[in-house]
Amino acid sequence: VCEPPVPNSLVYNGLREEEFEPVGEAPDAADVLYIGMMRDLKGPDILIDAVPLAEQRLGRQLRVVMVGAGDDLPTYQAQAKRLGLEGRVVFKPPMRAREAFALARLVVVPSRAEAMPYSVLETLGAGKPVIATAVGGIPEIFPQNSPALIAPDVAQLAGKLAEALSDLAAYGQLMPTTDLLKTRFSAAAMARQIEDAYRGALGR
């Protein structure tokens, strides 16, 4: 990574205060939620392939909700059908993130590549446990060596799904705390850091 040859500051995107309000679960909440574009870069195929393996490890069937749209959606629907997951993997059209969060108990972000996805911040801000791939800026959101992070790999995701869903309350305790998130990823922190950067530049 090249360091810019001029004074610079790293300022993260910030969540608004209302985005730190917890989102509860719908009465018929599924086990797992995917929310995002339906394209290979985002890894929905990785999640679908991981479901049967995770079910074998857990000894029960899973219910998965996949929210989003994209040209590859028919491919993923056919993949779920081919694996015998019809009725257990349900596809829904795009909706507001906080509306989608109520549809499941655990959120999975199986991307093959990312920048700094706002969706991961939104998920954690809403108090939802998440499994995410350690790509792009995602690891910067979590503590070092966080157990929430995996490679974009079917076997790793299946294992982590089984681990998390076997005791979701315990898994949820491994997520960054709200206080930590607010310190680094709130709109107030973002505004303060931008102001500091401008003041520093003016001072120079």
Side-chain angles (χ1 to χ4, degrees):
V1 178
C2 295
E3 181 73 14
V6 294
N8 62 89
S9 299
L10 173 62
V11 179
Y12 290 111
N13 288 334
L15 298 176
R16 302 184 304 276
E17 188 63 31
E18 60 267 26
E19 292 178 289
F20 287 103
E21 289 295 323
V23 174
E25 298 171 5
D28 59 344
D31 296 293
V32 177
L33 170 70
Y34 167 90
I35 178 170
M37 289 293 295
M38 293 296 177
R39 53 189 298 222
D40 282 355
L41 188 72
K42 298 294 186 178
D45 58 308
I46 296 175
L47 173 56
I48 295 170
D49 277 341
V51 170
L53 298 178
E55 289 180 333
Q56 291 174 13
R57 297 190 184 201
L58 279 168
R60 68 174 179 88
Q61 293 185 340
L62 299 182
R63 293 174 54 233
V64 179
V65 177
M66 304 191 74
V67 175
D71 292 343
D72 294 330
L73 175 57
T75 301
Y76 304 134
Q77 291 171 324
Q79 178 186 1
K81 182 177 181 179
R82 186 174 66 252
L83 293 173
L85 299 175
E86 286 182 296
R88 307 210 301 279
V89 175
V90 177
F91 295 87
K92 292 182 177 290
M95 65 182 74
R96 294 181 182 275
R98 290 177 66 83
E99 181 182 349
F101 292 152
L103 299 179
R105 303 186 298 140
L106 172 68
V107 178
V108 172
V109 182
S111 302
R112 291 180 168 89
E114 282 288 355
M116 171 63 82
Y118 195 73
S119 61
V120 177
L121 295 176
E122 288 180 299
T123 301
L124 293 169
K128 308 295 288 192
V130 62
I131 297 170
T133 49
V135 298
I138 292 177
E140 298 177 46
I141 300 172
F142 294 86
Q144 191 172 11
N145 300 320
S146 170
L149 298 175
I150 60 167
D153 174 81
V154 171
Q156 282 197 35
L157 177 53
K160 187 60 66 174
L161 282 169
E163 175 189 330
L165 291 169
S166 65
D167 190 345
L168 196 54
Y171 183 75
Q173 294 299 312
L174 304 176
M175 299 298 106
T177 65
T178 299
D179 287 343
L180 178 60
L181 289 170
K182 285 186 174 182
T183 298
R184 301 183 64 206
F185 300 109
S186 67
M190 179 177 68
R192 183 173 60 252
Q193 291 163 13
I194 291 173
E195 289 177 356
D196 289 345
Y198 276 111
R199 288 194 181 100
L202 290 171
R204 288 189 291 270

mmCIF file of all heavy atoms in Angstrom, residues 124-125 127-128 130 141-143 146 148 172-181 184-185:
data_model
loop_
_atom_site.group_PDB
_atom_site.id
_atom_site.type_symbol
_atom_site.label_atom_id
_atom_site.label_comp_id
_atom_site.label_asym_id
_atom_site.label_seq_id
_atom_site.Cartn_x
_atom_site.Cartn_y
_atom_site.Cartn_z
ATOM 1 N N LEU A 124 -23.983 -4.845 12.547
ATOM 2 C CA LEU A 124 -23.494 -4.795 13.922
ATOM 3 C C LEU A 124 -24.191 -3.706 14.721
ATOM 4 O O LEU A 124 -24.497 -3.891 15.905
ATOM 5 C CB LEU A 124 -21.979 -4.579 13.916
ATOM 6 C CG LEU A 124 -21.154 -5.736 13.348
ATOM 7 C CD1 LEU A 124 -19.702 -5.307 13.149
ATOM 8 C CD2 LEU A 124 -21.227 -6.957 14.262
ATOM 9 N N GLY A 125 -24.451 -2.568 14.072
ATOM 10 C CA GLY A 125 -25.163 -1.492 14.750
ATOM 11 C C GLY A 125 -26.546 -1.926 15.195
ATOM 12 O O GLY A 125 -27.049 -1.485 16.239
ATOM 13 N N GLY A 127 -27.263 -4.762 16.235
ATOM 14 C CA GLY A 127 -27.137 -5.784 17.271
ATOM 15 C C GLY A 127 -27.252 -7.201 16.758
ATOM 16 O O GLY A 127 -27.535 -8.123 17.529
ATOM 17 N N LYS A 128 -27.014 -7.408 15.452
ATOM 18 C CA LYS A 128 -27.118 -8.731 14.878
ATOM 19 C C LYS A 128 -25.738 -9.376 14.787
ATOM 20 O O LYS A 128 -24.785 -8.741 14.316
ATOM 21 C CB LYS A 128 -27.725 -8.675 13.476
ATOM 22 C CG LYS A 128 -29.029 -7.913 13.385
ATOM 23 C CD LYS A 128 -30.153 -8.578 14.166
ATOM 24 C CE LYS A 128 -30.629 -9.854 13.501
ATOM 25 N NZ LYS A 128 -31.902 -10.329 14.099
ATOM 26 N N VAL A 130 -22.795 -11.558 13.135
ATOM 27 C CA VAL A 130 -22.454 -11.657 11.722
ATOM 28 C C VAL A 130 -21.252 -12.572 11.522
ATOM 29 O O VAL A 130 -20.357 -12.647 12.374
ATOM 30 C CB VAL A 130 -22.175 -10.256 11.131
ATOM 31 C CG1 VAL A 130 -20.990 -9.594 11.806
ATOM 32 C CG2 VAL A 130 -21.949 -10.311 9.632
ATOM 33 N N ILE A 141 -13.129 -3.524 10.827
ATOM 34 C CA ILE A 141 -14.317 -3.317 11.652
ATOM 35 C C ILE A 141 -14.249 -4.135 12.935
ATOM 36 O O ILE A 141 -14.823 -3.761 13.960
ATOM 37 C CB ILE A 141 -15.586 -3.690 10.852
ATOM 38 C CG1 ILE A 141 -15.687 -2.820 9.593
ATOM 39 C CG2 ILE A 141 -16.846 -3.550 11.703
ATOM 40 C CD1 ILE A 141 -16.810 -3.241 8.639
ATOM 41 N N PHE A 142 -13.521 -5.239 12.902
ATOM 42 C CA PHE A 142 -13.513 -6.207 13.999
ATOM 43 C C PHE A 142 -12.205 -6.148 14.779
ATOM 44 O O PHE A 142 -11.177 -5.709 14.260
ATOM 45 C CB PHE A 142 -13.700 -7.621 13.446
ATOM 46 C CG PHE A 142 -15.043 -7.865 12.817
ATOM 47 C CD1 PHE A 142 -15.270 -7.540 11.486
ATOM 48 C CD2 PHE A 142 -16.077 -8.403 13.560
ATOM 49 C CE1 PHE A 142 -16.513 -7.765 10.905
ATOM 50 C CE2 PHE A 142 -17.318 -8.632 12.989
ATOM 51 C CZ PHE A 142 -17.534 -8.309 11.661
ATOM 52 N N PRO A 143 -12.214 -6.620 16.020
ATOM 53 C CA PRO A 143 -10.952 -6.758 16.758
ATOM 54 C C PRO A 143 -10.008 -7.720 16.030
ATOM 55 O O PRO A 143 -10.441 -8.555 15.236
ATOM 56 C CB PRO A 143 -11.395 -7.342 18.106
ATOM 57 C CG PRO A 143 -12.838 -7.012 18.222
ATOM 58 C CD PRO A 143 -13.385 -7.012 16.825
ATOM 59 N N SER A 146 -10.509 -11.734 15.105
ATOM 60 C CA SER A 146 -11.908 -11.979 15.462
ATOM 61 C C SER A 146 -12.379 -13.318 14.902
ATOM 62 O O SER A 146 -12.147 -13.629 13.725
ATOM 63 C CB SER A 146 -12.802 -10.869 14.912
ATOM 64 O OG SER A 146 -14.166 -11.209 15.053
ATOM 65 N N ALA A 148 -15.227 -13.996 14.043
ATOM 66 C CA ALA A 148 -16.308 -13.748 13.083
ATOM 67 C C ALA A 148 -15.808 -13.757 11.650
ATOM 68 O O ALA A 148 -16.609 -13.821 10.717
ATOM 69 C CB ALA A 148 -16.975 -12.406 13.383
ATOM 70 N N GLY A 172 -22.838 -14.323 19.747
ATOM 71 C CA GLY A 172 -23.125 -12.891 19.724
ATOM 72 C C GLY A 172 -22.239 -12.094 20.662
ATOM 73 O O GLY A 172 -21.944 -10.916 20.395
ATOM 74 N N GLN A 173 -21.773 -12.723 21.735
ATOM 75 C CA GLN A 173 -20.887 -12.030 22.683
ATOM 76 C C GLN A 173 -19.515 -11.736 22.078
ATOM 77 O O GLN A 173 -18.745 -10.947 22.633
ATOM 78 C CB GLN A 173 -20.724 -12.872 23.946
ATOM 79 C CG GLN A 173 -21.999 -13.037 24.759
ATOM 80 C CD GLN A 173 -22.546 -11.713 25.252
ATOM 81 O OE1 GLN A 173 -21.813 -10.886 25.807
ATOM 82 N NE2 GLN A 173 -23.832 -11.496 25.038
ATOM 83 N N LEU A 174 -19.191 -12.367 20.952
ATOM 84 C CA LEU A 174 -17.898 -12.164 20.306
ATOM 85 C C LEU A 174 -17.894 -10.964 19.360
ATOM 86 O O LEU A 174 -16.848 -10.599 18.835
ATOM 87 C CB LEU A 174 -17.514 -13.427 19.517
ATOM 88 C CG LEU A 174 -17.474 -14.732 20.308
ATOM 89 C CD1 LEU A 174 -17.182 -15.900 19.375
ATOM 90 C CD2 LEU A 174 -16.433 -14.657 21.421
ATOM 91 N N MET A 175 -19.053 -10.350 19.148
ATOM 92 C CA MET A 175 -19.142 -9.212 18.237
ATOM 93 C C MET A 175 -18.598 -7.940 18.903
ATOM 94 O O MET A 175 -18.578 -7.835 20.129
ATOM 95 C CB MET A 175 -20.602 -8.977 17.832
ATOM 96 C CG MET A 175 -21.267 -10.143 17.092
ATOM 97 S SD MET A 175 -20.494 -10.560 15.522
ATOM 98 C CE MET A 175 -19.657 -12.107 15.977
ATOM 99 N N PRO A 176 -18.152 -6.960 18.113
ATOM 100 C CA PRO A 176 -17.731 -5.678 18.695
ATOM 101 C C PRO A 176 -18.880 -5.053 19.477
ATOM 102 O O PRO A 176 -20.042 -5.123 19.059
ATOM 103 C CB PRO A 176 -17.391 -4.830 17.456
ATOM 104 C CG PRO A 176 -17.109 -5.807 16.366
ATOM 105 C CD PRO A 176 -17.988 -6.990 16.644
ATOM 106 N N THR A 177 -18.561 -4.448 20.608
ATOM 107 C CA THR A 177 -19.604 -3.834 21.431
ATOM 108 C C THR A 177 -20.124 -2.559 20.768
ATOM 109 O O THR A 177 -19.450 -1.941 19.930
ATOM 110 C CB THR A 177 -19.064 -3.484 22.819
ATOM 111 O OG1 THR A 177 -18.048 -2.473 22.682
ATOM 112 C CG2 THR A 177 -18.475 -4.708 23.507
ATOM 113 N N THR A 178 -21.317 -2.146 21.182
ATOM 114 C CA THR A 178 -21.895 -0.908 20.660
ATOM 115 C C THR A 178 -21.003 0.285 20.992
ATOM 116 O O THR A 178 -20.812 1.183 20.162
ATOM 117 C CB THR A 178 -23.303 -0.692 21.233
ATOM 118 O OG1 THR A 178 -24.139 -1.780 20.838
ATOM 119 C CG2 THR A 178 -23.908 0.608 20.726
ATOM 120 N N ASP A 179 -20.450 0.310 22.193
ATOM 121 C CA ASP A 179 -19.580 1.424 22.583
ATOM 122 C C ASP A 179 -18.360 1.507 21.670
ATOM 123 O O ASP A 179 -17.959 2.605 21.254
ATOM 124 C CB ASP A 179 -19.129 1.270 24.035
ATOM 125 C CG ASP A 179 -20.249 1.551 25.018
ATOM 126 O OD1 ASP A 179 -21.255 2.160 24.606
ATOM 127 O OD2 ASP A 179 -20.115 1.163 26.194
ATOM 128 N N LEU A 180 -17.760 0.363 21.346
ATOM 129 C CA LEU A 180 -16.603 0.357 20.463
ATOM 130 C C LEU A 180 -17.000 0.829 19.068
ATOM 131 O O LEU A 180 -16.289 1.619 18.441
ATOM 132 C CB LEU A 180 -15.996 -1.041 20.395
ATOM 133 C CG LEU A 180 -14.792 -1.220 19.463
ATOM 134 C CD1 LEU A 180 -13.649 -0.301 19.898
ATOM 135 C CD2 LEU A 180 -14.333 -2.663 19.444
ATOM 136 N N LEU A 181 -18.142 0.353 18.584
ATOM 137 C CA LEU A 181 -18.606 0.767 17.261
ATOM 138 C C LEU A 181 -18.841 2.275 17.213
ATOM 139 O O LEU A 181 -18.476 2.948 16.239
ATOM 140 C CB LEU A 181 -19.889 0.025 16.901
ATOM 141 C CG LEU A 181 -19.757 -1.462 16.583
ATOM 142 C CD1 LEU A 181 -21.137 -2.094 16.492
ATOM 143 C CD2 LEU A 181 -18.991 -1.675 15.278
ATOM 144 N N ARG A 184 -15.656 4.391 16.843
ATOM 145 C CA ARG A 184 -14.948 4.385 15.563
ATOM 146 C C ARG A 184 -15.836 4.616 14.358
ATOM 147 O O ARG A 184 -15.375 5.111 13.339
ATOM 148 C CB ARG A 184 -14.221 3.045 15.386
ATOM 149 C CG ARG A 184 -13.204 2.732 16.465
ATOM 150 C CD ARG A 184 -12.495 1.425 16.173
ATOM 151 N NE ARG A 184 -11.720 1.500 14.949
ATOM 152 C CZ ARG A 184 -11.424 0.448 14.191
ATOM 153 N NH1 ARG A 184 -11.897 -0.743 14.518
ATOM 154 N NH2 ARG A 184 -10.707 0.586 13.107
ATOM 155 N N PHE A 185 -17.115 4.218 14.465
ATOM 156 C CA PHE A 185 -17.947 4.174 13.263
ATOM 157 C C PHE A 185 -19.280 4.897 13.413
ATOM 158 O O PHE A 185 -20.257 4.525 12.773
ATOM 159 C CB PHE A 185 -18.207 2.716 12.870
ATOM 160 C CG PHE A 185 -16.960 1.934 12.578
ATOM 161 C CD1 PHE A 185 -16.522 0.946 13.448
ATOM 162 C CD2 PHE A 185 -16.209 2.185 11.442
ATOM 163 C CE1 PHE A 185 -15.371 0.217 13.187
ATOM 164 C CE2 PHE A 185 -15.057 1.465 11.173
ATOM 165 C CZ PHE A 185 -14.639 0.484 12.048
#
